[in-house]
Amino acid sequence: MNLSLPARQLICLLLLAALTPFVHAQGNFVEARIASLNGGGATLTTNTGGVFKLKSGDALKPGDVIDTRGGAQVLIEMSDGSVVIVRPGARVVLKDFRAAGTLRDLFEVLSGRVRVKVNHFGGKPNPMRVNTPSASIAVRGTEFSIAVNGNETRVVVHEGLVEVTNLFAPQQHALVEPGQGV
């Protein structure tokens, strides 16, 4: 088949666009996407101030705010295999979750309840941190729940181990094991 130069260039660009998410998932770049929504409404406020109704398949970026106070439950899937369930009545700000080589800030729970399952990344620990107005939660491949009400944060571990640090008194920290909470 003898294709013109513009046609060959177009095919190369289409192949590159199709392979980019796969290459990023295999390298050190992590993507987040809305996998599903259940129930009422949920909005996405971008870091530029735009407000949109969330829908399945939406890509997420650092600085985006997910608001489920309209009654929806949102399932976020990360390309590293981690999953975040934002329960109805919550507000969550996505942080710099993209750089997989170091301790990554996954998100900040401003209010409400969230359940997180952090997978190992490429067979190695997947160090992440989740923040709230009153706590910092460091995880290493685990499953846990967070509930935030004002300045009160509750963390319950379902699997694995997390370290919770009080942001008002950083010397106060606890390792939390499965079946325990703080």
Side-chain angles (χ1 to χ4, degrees), residues 59-134:
L60 302 172
K61 297 183 260 350
D64 288 348
V65 178
I66 296 172
D67 188 334
T68 61
R69 290 179 293 181
Q73 176 169 287
V74 175
L75 175 67
I76 301 170
E77 288 183 344
M78 313 285 286
S79 60
D80 68 359
S82 298
V83 176
V84 178
I85 300 170
V86 181
R87 306 277 190 201
R91 285 187 64 230
V92 173
V93 179
L94 278 85
K95 295 297 188 177
D96 188 15
F97 58 86
R98 293 180 175 198
T102 62
L103 183 66
R104 295 184 285 142
D105 282 332
L106 184 57
F107 56 86
E108 181 174 1
V109 181
L110 300 175
S111 63
R113 297 179 312 132
V114 174
R115 185 164 179 143
V116 182
K117 180 172 182 172
V118 177
N119 274 346
H120 291 278
F121 189 62
K124 297 182 266 184
N126 192 359
M128 288 190 187
R129 179 177 40 232
V130 176
N131 293 310
T132 73
S134 60

Side-chain angles (χ1 to χ4, degrees), residues 18-83:
L19 291 174
T20 297
F22 175 77
V23 170
H24 285 192
Q26 299 302 312
N28 286 337
F29 186 79
V30 177
E31 295 180 343
R33 192 166 295 288
I34 301 297
S36 67
L37 288 105
N38 295 317
T43 59
L44 172 72
T45 303
T46 66
N47 58 7
T48 59
V51 180
F52 304 93
K53 185 173 177 152
L54 266 179
K55 59 188 180 311
S56 190
D58 283 348
L60 302 172
K61 297 183 260 350
D64 288 348
V65 178
I66 296 172
D67 188 334
T68 61
R69 290 179 293 181
Q73 176 169 287
V74 175
L75 175 67
I76 301 170
E77 288 183 344
M78 313 285 286
S79 60
D80 68 359
S82 298
V83 176

Side-chain angles (χ1 to χ4, degrees), residues 142-143 155-162 174-181:
T142 188
E143 187 170 351
V155 179
V156 175
V157 176
H158 308 287
E159 181 181 305
L161 183 70
V162 301
L175 287 176
V176 186
E177 298 177 345
Q180 295 182 335

